[in-house]
Amino acid sequence: MNGLYALKPWYADRLSGVRGALARRRVSPDALTAAGVAAAAAAGGALALLPAGWAAAPVALLLAVRLACANLDGAVAPGWLAALAACAATLPSWVSLAGAAAGAPRLNGGPAGKTERCLLAVVAAATGWYAPVLAVIAAGSAATALLRGARLWRELDTADRAGSAPYGATPPPAVASAASAGDTR
C-alpha cells in the first residue's frame, strides 16, 4: 500500500503548468531544491514557534510548497541526460568489480574516474552548466569503462597464458584465435 504517495501522480499533474513556466524561464533545479529546503525549514520554525492551531495553516502551506519544489526540481532538470550520466557513471565500477571477481586486481583511474566525476559535479554546481557537464560525465564514464575493460581483458589474457587465470577464465574466441595465430597486438 502506497498511502498518500499514491497521490503523487495527481499532484504532479496539478503542477504541469508551473513546471512548463519554470522550464521556459530556465529556472535552475538547484534553486527549486533550495526553495524546498527553505520551505521545510520555515515549516519547522512555524511548528516550533507558533501555538497549536495557529501553526496548522502555515505548516500545511509550507510543506505543500516543499513537496511541490521536490517534484519540480527533478522535472525541470535535463532528465534524460541526467539519467544517462547516472547510468554511465556506474559502468567503470562495474567493470572493476567484474575484473576483481575474475581474479584480476581492482582497476581504478581513467578519464572520468570517481574523483574526476566528483570534480565535474562541483564544476556543474559552480557554473550552472548542468547539461554540458552531464554530457562529459556520460561520455567520460563510458570511455573509462571501455579503457578499464580493455586493460582487464589484457590482464586476464596474460594470466590465462601463464596458466594462472582463476576460475578457468579464458579470453573470448576472437582473442584466443588471434593469440594462437601469433597476432598479439
Side-chain angles (χ1 to χ4, degrees), residues 88-106:
T90 67
L91 294 176
S93 292
W94 283 108
V95 170
S96 293
L97 290 171
R106 176 90 190 260

Side-chain angles (χ1 to χ4, degrees), residues 1 11 29 33 38 53 57 73 76 98 101 137 164 170-171 173 181-182:
M1 177 154 184
Y11 193 56
T33 301
D73 64 357
V76 300
I137 289 172
S164 61
T170 58

Side-chain angles (χ1 to χ4, degrees), residues 9-176:
W10 174 85
Y11 193 56
D13 285 345
R14 303 286 113 19
L15 295 171
S16 64
V18 174
R19 185 171 32 268
L22 292 170
R24 283 188 298 278
R25 288 179 177 78
R26 301 179 57 92
V27 173
S28 164
D30 290 339
L32 292 167
T33 301
V37 169
L47 191 59
L49 299 173
L50 296 175
W54 287 92
V59 167
L61 176 67
L62 289 164
L63 290 179
V65 169
R66 183 259 179 259
L67 289 172
C69 289
N71 187 288
L72 293 167
D73 64 357
V76 300
W80 68 269
L81 187 55
L84 176 67
C87 289
T90 67
L91 294 176
S93 292
W94 283 108
V95 170
S96 293
L97 290 171
R106 176 90 190 260
L107 301 177
N108 294 303
K114 187 186 328 177
T115 306
E116 290 81 8
R117 292 190 306 269
C118 289
L119 176 60
L120 287 166
V122 172
V123 169
T127 63
W129 298 342
Y130 300 105
V133 170
L134 287 171
V136 169
I137 289 172
S141 296
T144 299
L146 288 171
L147 290 171
R148 285 184 188 179
R151 187 169 139 213
L152 173 64
W153 218 256
R154 286 190 305 273
E155 289 188 22
L156 289 174
D157 183 43
T158 300
D160 185 51
R161 287 177 193 220
S164 61
Y167 310 116
T170 58
V175 172

